[in-house]
Each structure stands twice: as structure tokens, then as C-alpha cells.
């Protein structure tokens, strides 16, 4: 199975134009995501697996999948490290 992520219950999010604002109810902190970060977040929230996220971004930005994959992985690790996303134990 391909990795998937879960938005924890303590994270709220709202669209602000093409971007997103996240609010962590535990830490009481806001986080802003730009257009690409927002696209990754929305895909994760829909339950999209990593390969689909990478393929969609590679097609959208006409960039090599390998480069996109590295950046997606780094971004997802950052979100997991900050407690903004959780790895889906059933999707790994």
C-alpha cells in the first residue's frame, strides 16, 4: 500500500484564496500554506496516496516526478514533525 496521511482532530483549516490557513488547537498556533502546500494538504485530507499526489503535481507543474517526490516527502515530513498531519497506519 502507498502511504497516506490523516488530519488530526485538533487541526482546523480554511481556504484563503488559493492558499490555506491551519490552526492547531493544541498549540494555539496558525500555519499558512502556499498554493503548492495547499494542494498537497488537500490531497492528503482527501486520502490520496503519495504516488497520486506526486503525479498530480508533476503534471500540474510540468516537472520531473523524482524532483517533485523529494519535495513532497520533505514537506510531508515537516507537517508530521509539526503534528499537523499523522501517518495513516493502515495506509503505509
Amino acid at each position: 500500500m502507498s502511504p497516506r496521511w490523516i488530519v488530526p482532530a485538533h487541526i482546523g483549516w480554511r481556504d484563503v484564496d488559493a492558499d490555506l490557513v491551519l490552526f492547531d488547537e493544541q498549540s494555539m498556533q496558525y500555519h499558512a500554506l502556499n498554493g503548492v502546500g495547499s494542494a498537497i494538504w488537500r490531497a492528503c485530507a482527501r486520502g490520496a496516496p503519495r504516488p497520486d499526489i506526486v503525479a498530480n503535481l508533476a503534471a500540474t507543474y510540468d516537472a520531473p516526478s523524482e524532483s517533485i517526490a523529494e519535495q513532497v516527502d520533505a514537506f510531508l515530513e515537516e507537517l508530521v514533525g509539526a503534528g499537523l498531519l499523522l501517518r495513516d497506519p493502515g495506509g503505509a
Side-chain angles (χ1 to χ4, degrees):
M1 288 185 115
S2 297
R4 294 177 192 258
W5 294 265
I6 300 168
V7 178
H10 66 274
I11 303 296
W13 50 291
R14 293 208 182 257
D15 289 293
V16 178
D17 298 321
D19 301 336
L20 286 178
V21 174
L22 312 178
F23 180 66
D24 184 335
E25 294 175 6
Q26 290 180 342
S27 69
M28 303 299 284
Q29 292 184 334
Y30 285 95
H31 303 269
L33 302 181
N34 66 16
V36 176
S38 297
I40 296 169
W41 178 273
R42 288 183 185 101
C44 289
R46 287 191 309 270
R50 179 188 172 277
D52 290 358
I53 296 169
V54 171
N56 287 337
L57 289 173
T60 299
Y61 294 99
D62 192 28
S65 293
E66 299 79 21
S67 174
I68 295 288
E70 290 175 11
Q71 294 175 37
V72 166
D73 290 344
F75 181 68
L76 291 172
E77 286 301 317
E78 185 177 331
L79 292 175
V80 169
L84 300 172
L85 281 180
L86 301 172
R87 290 186 207 291
D88 181 353

